Amino acid sequence: MAGTEGVFSIAEKLDRLFRAAGRPEPSYMTVADGIRDGQGVPISHTYIWQLRTGRRDNPTLQHLTALAAYFGVPVAYFLDDEQARRIDTQLGLLSRLRDAGVTEIALRAADVSPRGREMISEAIRQVWESEHPPR
């Protein structure tokens, strides 16, 4: 579409959120149930599918806010392309960390004392150095 270069649609943004949510992706039913049960916002799985596939493209602010909350992003993700770019970068990093199997380590380390985190960091450094000897 002329004049829309760089503009992301609601469908594209929602698709990226589903893909970033994990493997397997949550089902439309899971998302709809989570929004209804957790936030009290009436929304159907069919409507979420329609939004993701671009068959519907004018959601209410209430639905955008509920979807954003479900996926853990600010509602600005859907409204501001610059915010969407920044958040997509963060989601990409999270996805790479998850794919590398690092998220469990990071989540556990977050609940460790500062001294414990220093010890973990040192252990990781030592393992890295043993696997990447100087040339």
Side-chain angles (χ1 to χ4, degrees), residues 4 20 38 43 48 52-53 69 83 85-86 88 91 114 134:
T4 60
I43 192 167
I48 295 170
R52 184 178 183 189
T53 58
Q83 277 277 31
R85 283 184 192 92
R86 282 194 290 274
D88 282 342
L91 291 173

PDB file of all heavy atoms in Angstrom, residues 4 20 38 43 48 52-53 69 83 85-86 88 91 114 134:
ATOM      1  N   THR A   4       2.246   3.588   3.269  1.00  0.00           N
ATOM      2  CA  THR A   4       2.179   2.883   4.547  1.00  0.00           C
ATOM      3  C   THR A   4       3.454   2.106   4.845  1.00  0.00           C
ATOM      4  O   THR A   4       3.478   1.253   5.705  1.00  0.00           O
ATOM      5  CB  THR A   4       0.978   1.908   4.593  1.00  0.00           C
ATOM      6  OG1 THR A   4       1.141   0.955   3.540  1.00  0.00           O
ATOM      7  CG2 THR A   4      -0.334   2.628   4.469  1.00  0.00           C
ATOM      8  N   ALA A  20       5.851 -15.030  19.556  1.00  0.00           N
ATOM      9  CA  ALA A  20       6.819 -14.809  20.627  1.00  0.00           C
ATOM     10  C   ALA A  20       6.391 -15.456  21.943  1.00  0.00           C
ATOM     11  O   ALA A  20       7.210 -15.611  22.845  1.00  0.00           O
ATOM     12  CB  ALA A  20       7.025 -13.306  20.847  1.00  0.00           C
ATOM     13  N   GLY A  38      -9.202 -13.774  33.414  1.00  0.00           N
ATOM     14  CA  GLY A  38      -8.253 -12.938  34.135  1.00  0.00           C
ATOM     15  C   GLY A  38      -8.591 -11.463  34.179  1.00  0.00           C
ATOM     16  O   GLY A  38      -8.225 -10.763  35.112  1.00  0.00           O
ATOM     17  N   ILE A  43     -14.470 -11.592  25.066  1.00  0.00           N
ATOM     18  CA  ILE A  43     -13.811 -11.688  23.761  1.00  0.00           C
ATOM     19  C   ILE A  43     -13.872 -13.145  23.340  1.00  0.00           C
ATOM     20  O   ILE A  43     -13.782 -14.045  24.180  1.00  0.00           O
ATOM     21  CB  ILE A  43     -12.353 -11.170  23.829  1.00  0.00           C
ATOM     22  CG1 ILE A  43     -11.761 -10.988  22.432  1.00  0.00           C
ATOM     23  CG2 ILE A  43     -11.490 -12.056  24.700  1.00  0.00           C
ATOM     24  CD1 ILE A  43     -10.454 -10.196  22.408  1.00  0.00           C
ATOM     25  N   ILE A  48     -10.431 -13.139  18.024  1.00  0.00           N
ATOM     26  CA  ILE A  48      -8.970 -13.045  18.098  1.00  0.00           C
ATOM     27  C   ILE A  48      -8.363 -13.577  16.807  1.00  0.00           C
ATOM     28  O   ILE A  48      -7.441 -12.976  16.241  1.00  0.00           O
ATOM     29  CB  ILE A  48      -8.437 -13.788  19.332  1.00  0.00           C
ATOM     30  CG1 ILE A  48      -8.937 -13.100  20.609  1.00  0.00           C
ATOM     31  CG2 ILE A  48      -6.909 -13.862  19.304  1.00  0.00           C
ATOM     32  CD1 ILE A  48      -8.674 -13.871  21.880  1.00  0.00           C
ATOM     33  N   ARG A  52      -6.028 -11.536  14.167  1.00  0.00           N
ATOM     34  CA  ARG A  52      -4.684 -11.999  13.800  1.00  0.00           C
ATOM     35  C   ARG A  52      -4.539 -12.203  12.299  1.00  0.00           C
ATOM     36  O   ARG A  52      -3.466 -11.993  11.739  1.00  0.00           O
ATOM     37  CB  ARG A  52      -4.352 -13.284  14.541  1.00  0.00           C
ATOM     38  CG  ARG A  52      -2.929 -13.754  14.272  1.00  0.00           C
ATOM     39  CD  ARG A  52      -2.576 -14.995  15.021  1.00  0.00           C
ATOM     40  NE  ARG A  52      -1.197 -15.385  14.790  1.00  0.00           N
ATOM     41  CZ  ARG A  52      -0.685 -16.525  15.190  1.00  0.00           C
ATOM     42  NH1 ARG A  52      -1.411 -17.380  15.886  1.00  0.00           N
ATOM     43  NH2 ARG A  52       0.574 -16.809  14.933  1.00  0.00           N
ATOM     44  N   THR A  53      -5.606 -12.609  11.653  1.00  0.00           N
ATOM     45  CA  THR A  53      -5.533 -12.878  10.213  1.00  0.00           C
ATOM     46  C   THR A  53      -5.915 -11.673   9.365  1.00  0.00           C
ATOM     47  O   THR A  53      -5.893 -11.751   8.144  1.00  0.00           O
ATOM     48  CB  THR A  53      -6.445 -14.066   9.842  1.00  0.00           C
ATOM     49  OG1 THR A  53      -7.792 -13.767  10.227  1.00  0.00           O
ATOM     50  CG2 THR A  53      -5.961 -15.350  10.508  1.00  0.00           C
ATOM     51  N   ALA A  69      -2.386  -6.791  27.694  1.00  0.00           N
ATOM     52  CA  ALA A  69      -2.165  -7.288  29.058  1.00  0.00           C
ATOM     53  C   ALA A  69      -1.913  -8.794  29.040  1.00  0.00           C
ATOM     54  O   ALA A  69      -1.024  -9.292  29.747  1.00  0.00           O
ATOM     55  CB  ALA A  69      -3.363  -6.956  29.945  1.00  0.00           C
ATOM     56  N   GLN A  83       7.030   2.203  19.251  1.00  0.00           N
ATOM     57  CA  GLN A  83       6.963   1.326  20.442  1.00  0.00           C
ATOM     58  C   GLN A  83       6.975  -0.133  20.006  1.00  0.00           C
ATOM     59  O   GLN A  83       7.638  -0.968  20.619  1.00  0.00           O
ATOM     60  CB  GLN A  83       5.677   1.605  21.239  1.00  0.00           C
ATOM     61  CG  GLN A  83       5.781   2.766  22.153  1.00  0.00           C
ATOM     62  CD  GLN A  83       6.426   2.373  23.474  1.00  0.00           C
ATOM     63  OE1 GLN A  83       7.267   1.490  23.563  1.00  0.00           O
ATOM     64  NE2 GLN A  83       6.033   3.067  24.509  1.00  0.00           N
ATOM     65  N   ARG A  85       8.301  -1.462  17.368  1.00  0.00           N
ATOM     66  CA  ARG A  85       9.660  -1.844  16.957  1.00  0.00           C
ATOM     67  C   ARG A  85      10.535  -2.142  18.172  1.00  0.00           C
ATOM     68  O   ARG A  85      11.266  -3.132  18.195  1.00  0.00           O
ATOM     69  CB  ARG A  85      10.292  -0.741  16.122  1.00  0.00           C
ATOM     70  CG  ARG A  85       9.800  -0.674  14.704  1.00  0.00           C
ATOM     71  CD  ARG A  85      10.557   0.388  13.900  1.00  0.00           C
ATOM     72  NE  ARG A  85       9.892   0.620  12.645  1.00  0.00           N
ATOM     73  CZ  ARG A  85       8.956   1.551  12.428  1.00  0.00           C
ATOM     74  NH1 ARG A  85       8.587   2.356  13.404  1.00  0.00           N
ATOM     75  NH2 ARG A  85       8.390   1.675  11.253  1.00  0.00           N
ATOM     76  N   ARG A  86      10.469  -1.279  19.182  1.00  0.00           N
ATOM     77  CA  ARG A  86      11.290  -1.498  20.380  1.00  0.00           C
ATOM     78  C   ARG A  86      10.894  -2.788  21.087  1.00  0.00           C
ATOM     79  O   ARG A  86      11.746  -3.576  21.506  1.00  0.00           O
ATOM     80  CB  ARG A  86      11.155  -0.312  21.339  1.00  0.00           C
ATOM     81  CG  ARG A  86      11.975   0.899  20.914  1.00  0.00           C
ATOM     82  CD  ARG A  86      12.104   1.911  22.035  1.00  0.00           C
ATOM     83  NE  ARG A  86      10.873   2.603  22.351  1.00  0.00           N
ATOM     84  CZ  ARG A  86      10.438   3.695  21.743  1.00  0.00           C
ATOM     85  NH1 ARG A  86      11.139   4.230  20.772  1.00  0.00           N
ATOM     86  NH2 ARG A  86       9.301   4.259  22.105  1.00  0.00           N
ATOM     87  N   ASP A  88       9.310  -5.361  19.774  1.00  0.00           N
ATOM     88  CA  ASP A  88       9.652  -6.506  18.930  1.00  0.00           C
ATOM     89  C   ASP A  88      11.119  -6.893  19.100  1.00  0.00           C
ATOM     90  O   ASP A  88      11.463  -8.072  19.106  1.00  0.00           O
ATOM     91  CB  ASP A  88       9.366  -6.207  17.456  1.00  0.00           C
ATOM     92  CG  ASP A  88       7.894  -6.309  17.122  1.00  0.00           C
ATOM     93  OD1 ASP A  88       7.133  -6.922  17.896  1.00  0.00           O
ATOM     94  OD2 ASP A  88       7.504  -5.764  16.071  1.00  0.00           O
ATOM     95  N   LEU A  91      11.227  -8.749  22.312  1.00  0.00           N
ATOM     96  CA  LEU A  91      10.612 -10.072  22.145  1.00  0.00           C
ATOM     97  C   LEU A  91      11.543 -11.004  21.381  1.00  0.00           C
ATOM     98  O   LEU A  91      11.622 -12.197  21.686  1.00  0.00           O
ATOM     99  CB  LEU A  91       9.269  -9.948  21.424  1.00  0.00           C
ATOM    100  CG  LEU A  91       8.143  -9.279  22.200  1.00  0.00           C
ATOM    101  CD1 LEU A  91       6.920  -9.065  21.304  1.00  0.00           C
ATOM    102  CD2 LEU A  91       7.773 -10.069  23.437  1.00  0.00           C
ATOM    103  N   PRO A 114      22.934 -11.260  45.363  1.00  0.00           N
ATOM    104  CA  PRO A 114      23.952 -10.677  44.478  1.00  0.00           C
ATOM    105  C   PRO A 114      25.248 -11.493  44.470  1.00  0.00           C
ATOM    106  O   PRO A 114      25.848 -11.696  43.411  1.00  0.00           O
ATOM    107  CB  PRO A 114      24.179  -9.279  45.068  1.00  0.00           C
ATOM    108  CG  PRO A 114      22.873  -8.936  45.715  1.00  0.00           C
ATOM    109  CD  PRO A 114      22.369 -10.241  46.266  1.00  0.00           C
ATOM    110  N   PRO A 134      41.845 -19.463  23.713  1.00  0.00           N
ATOM    111  CA  PRO A 134      42.479 -18.456  22.855  1.00  0.00           C
ATOM    112  C   PRO A 134      43.233 -19.144  21.708  1.00  0.00           C
ATOM    113  O   PRO A 134      43.767 -20.240  21.866  1.00  0.00           O
ATOM    114  CB  PRO A 134      43.452 -17.725  23.780  1.00  0.00           C
ATOM    115  CG  PRO A 134      43.463 -18.459  25.068  1.00  0.00           C
ATOM    116  CD  PRO A 134      42.373 -19.472  25.045  1.00  0.00           C
TER     117      PRO A 134
END
